[in-house]
Amino acid sequence: MTDVICIVCPNSCRLKVDEKNDYKVTGNACERGVSYGRDELLNPIRVLTTTVRLTGSEECRCPVRTRAPIPRAKLMDAMSAIAAVSVAAPVTSGQVIIPDLLGTGVDLIATRTMN
């Protein structure tokens, strides 16, 4: 039995996930907690939010995030790949900075327009 705190909604339910009983989830206040609890043990994913170097602007960093969640196991490798990137201004919000980050099928996008 594994304890997981659900982050899907503001309730922050304390879930119990029973791996020996087909990943049965208890302690959830809503149905989204069931899928979150199972997924957190079977295939944990996260949206990665960080910054990349920015050239040609008064600002030195541009905020970015993954367009969708990526496997949690790839977060550190993704940060290494992002650290190697430098983008030139101007940048528009939603602009793809790294397409298909680490072969995940998820793009890294700018979250702010930078002139």
Side-chain angles (χ1 to χ4, degrees):
M1 186 88 59
T2 302
D3 293 326
V4 175
I5 295 178
C6 184
I7 60 171
V8 176
C9 74
N11 288 333
S12 299
C13 295
R14 296 182 183 276
L15 307 177
K16 292 202 176 289
V17 183
D18 187 356
E19 302 95 321
K20 295 178 183 174
N21 190 14
D22 194 31
Y23 295 90
K24 182 176 180 348
V25 177
T26 57
N28 56 300
C30 67
E31 283 303 309
R32 294 184 297 172
V34 174
S35 59
Y36 176 80
R38 288 179 54 91
D39 291 345
E40 187 61 16
L41 267 61
L42 296 172
N43 182 31
I45 55 176
R46 299 288 186 274
V47 171
L48 176 60
T49 304
T50 188
T51 60
V52 295
R53 279 189 300 274
L54 180 66
T55 61
S57 173
E58 291 181 9
E59 304 289 335
C60 61
R61 308 291 293 176
C62 177
V64 295
R65 70 169 174 84
T66 53
R67 192 182 301 272
I70 62 173
R72 188 174 68 189
K74 292 192 173 199
L75 289 178
M76 295 309 287
D77 291 337
M79 286 300 294
S80 294
I82 293 166
V85 170
S86 180
V87 64
V91 176
T92 58
S93 183
Q95 178 179 329
V96 174
I97 304 300
I98 302 176
D100 190 21
L101 181 63
L102 298 178
T104 60
V106 177
D107 297 335
L108 184 75
I109 60 170
T111 59
R112 181 175 161 199
T113 297
M114 309 287 289
N115 294 319

